[in-house]
Amino acid sequence: KKKKKKKKKKKVRKLKLSTTQDFNAKLQKRGIVYLSRVPPRMGPTKVKQLLSDFGEVTRVYLVEEDKTVRKKRRRAGGSGGKRY
């Protein structure tokens, strides 16, 4: 028979009121920036690096160009790189 190990309970720390108020204030200041055109080979890490000069950047999310739009652009003589 194998013996099961007992899991240690994690200690739960109570947060101070001032800490939670500071966190909530930061959440209220947070916003979303919309970039209409991003160069073809510029990824999320590069965008984050460029925008971090203006303030703290927590997340960057880029949506790839639709496949049908990309196909039409390539037919019209555009570059083959993915756009966001």
Side-chain angles (χ1 to χ4, degrees):
K1 289 183 178 179
K2 291 183 180 178
K3 292 184 180 179
K4 291 185 179 179
K5 292 183 180 179
K6 289 184 180 179
K7 291 184 181 180
K8 291 184 179 180
K9 289 186 179 180
K10 291 185 178 180
K11 289 185 179 179
V12 179
R13 293 185 296 156
K14 291 185 179 182
L15 294 175
K16 295 178 184 175
L17 182 61
S18 61
T19 308
T20 55
Q21 286 174 341
D22 291 342
F23 180 74
N24 289 334
K26 281 184 181 179
L27 283 180
Q28 293 297 324
K29 287 179 68 177
R30 172 170 82 170
I32 296 173
V33 177
Y34 173 77
L35 303 173
S36 61
R37 296 186 188 250
V38 178
R41 290 176 181 80
M42 185 180 288
T45 52
K46 184 66 176 175
V47 172
K48 187 173 183 175
Q49 178 188 0
L50 291 172
L51 293 178
S52 64
D53 292 343
F54 302 100
E56 183 183 358
V57 178
T58 52
R59 293 186 294 177
V60 174
Y61 176 71
L62 299 177
V63 179
E64 275 188 21
E65 178 181 38
D66 191 32
K67 288 181 181 181
T68 56
V69 174
R70 181 178 179 204
K71 200 171 187 180
K72 286 180 185 178
R73 182 174 48 80
R74 290 190 69 194
R75 277 192 196 150
S79 67
K82 284 185 182 178
R83 290 198 177 167
Y84 293 97

